[in-house]
Amino acid sequence: EVQLLESGGGLVQPGGSLRLSCAASKFTFTNYAMNWVRQAPGKGLEWVALIVPSGGGTNYADSVKGRFTISRDNSKNMLFLQMYSLRAEDTATYYCAKGPGMVRGIGGRSIVDKGNGMDVWGQGTTVTVSS
Amino acid sequence: DIQMTQSPSSLSASVGDRVTITCRASQSISNYLNWYQQKPGKAPKLLIYAASSLQDGVPSRFSGSGSGTDFTLTISNLQPEDFATYSCQQSFSSFYSFGQGTKLYIK
């Protein structure tokens, strides 16, 4: 069964750092973009970051740009989220999510497939930022 | 940034009912709109992608429609397991964004 398993959450003080990990299994990791999505307690889903299969392209939500870094280790089927300068408003359950895949765009360049969603999610890891 | 707005924020219905949830984008997103279902304490589940394509394994009572800026998710013949929160998400831009969610309650 295709699976994503997050780890690394915990309690951290404001201004602190934390690194989340996501282990992927039972699919060809290098074929898919990967995402981090978070959900604050009692709130809706917030997309955080995306990384393309090669790791050579990343996008971030404005709320985390400059503080969070998404990365991947394709040799180990692992996704990471390094979080710095954490704030109380970063308190949330963080999910890693698979997809979409890549397609050929204009000029033959490989681009993220707009026509698909995030089809596999981990169970989430909880980050609490509090003194 | 593309803003996604869902309505209503909450909705009560009975088993067997037909319900419709609306999602509006702040600019045209063609048909690059996905719907997710989330139950309390669980991860979201992809229901519909590209506005109207049913994800594998999702019951046919779920359907989606729309293009441009206005989209709908319809659930026919509501079942007890359908009471959950539903969220839309645009994938037109690779800076994704979600609607705020619609919580579907049992009446």
Side-chain angles (χ1 to χ4, degrees), chain A residues 13-98:
Chain A
Q13 292 189 334
S17 301
L18 206 58
R19 188 194 198 207
L20 305 183
S21 300
C22 172
S25 59
K26 300 292 178 65
F27 68 96
T28 305
F29 188 64
T30 52
N31 283 355
Y32 296 93
M34 295 293 295
N35 298 268
W36 288 99
V37 176
R38 69 184 180 183
Q39 187 169 38
K43 302 296 185 182
L45 299 168
E46 180 187 15
W47 171 78
V48 172
L50 172 150
I51 186 167
V52 300
S54 67
T58 57
N59 289 339
Y60 297 92
D62 287 345
S63 58
V64 306
K65 193 177 297 184
R67 299 189 299 122
F68 289 12
T69 300
I70 187 172
S71 63
R72 61 195 292 163
D73 183 339
N74 287 341
S75 69
K76 296 180 179 176
N77 289 355
M78 294 289 297
L79 177 72
F80 304 101
L81 186 68
Q82 179 67 56
M83 303 184 293
Y84 298 101
S85 303
L86 282 161
R87 306 166 179 166
E89 54 265 37
D90 296 318
T91 295
T93 296
Y94 285 74
Y95 296 99
C96 68
K98 165 183 169 280

